[in-house]
Amino acid sequence: MLLADRRESDNMHDVSVSAPSLHSRLWGYPQQQLERDKKRKTKEGDCLPTPLGLQETLAESVYIARPLAHLLSLAVWGQKSWKPWLLSGILDVMRYVLEKC
């Protein structure tokens, strides 16, 4: 939306660039905004990462590596071979066993 200055028709201001969208504006007095920011910070601070042990780390690594191993085995043995599916199944079972122990 462009607004023209009444005194100078050359001076055009683009309002959409300078003003934030209605959805991103915070309506309320500044104290409310400070309280809202504090609540947001405490929620973010409560979400600490869970420490993983050796078995959980291995299970996550197998979970990430399984699709890559499947694609690599498809390239090596071909799409008509059953070996890539067997490899993926073995990696799934291994991840499940590592995760549950």
Side-chain angles (χ1 to χ4, degrees):
M1 177 174 166
L2 293 174
L3 294 179
D5 193 354
R6 290 183 183 185
R7 288 173 264 148
E8 296 178 25
S9 61
D10 302 336
N11 194 1
M12 303 289 275
H13 300 285
D14 190 4
V15 178
S16 63
V17 175
S18 62
S21 68
L22 289 175
H23 298 292
S24 64
R25 292 182 190 169
L26 298 175
W27 301 99
Y29 55 92
Q31 187 63 28
Q32 278 181 329
Q33 293 175 4
L34 290 173
E35 291 172 4
R36 200 175 295 139
D37 289 343
K38 285 181 184 178
K39 287 180 184 177
R40 190 175 297 139
K41 286 180 184 178
T42 57
K43 286 180 183 177
E44 290 172 0
D46 292 343
C47 298
L48 296 175
T50 306
L52 297 177
L54 179 63
Q55 286 184 336
E56 289 91 2
T57 305
L58 287 174
E60 288 292 321
S61 300
V62 169
Y63 178 76
I64 293 169
R66 185 186 63 86
L68 300 174
H70 182 74
L71 288 175
L72 182 65
S73 64
L74 279 174
V76 171
W77 290 309
Q79 291 184 352
K80 293 185 178 184
S81 177
W82 52 268
K83 293 175 186 175
W85 295 103
L86 181 65
L87 177 65
S88 291
I90 290 171
L91 290 175
D92 270 343
V93 170
M94 185 177 8
R95 179 190 61 86
Y96 180 76
V97 168
L98 286 171
E99 196 175 75
K100 294 299 176 188
C101 291

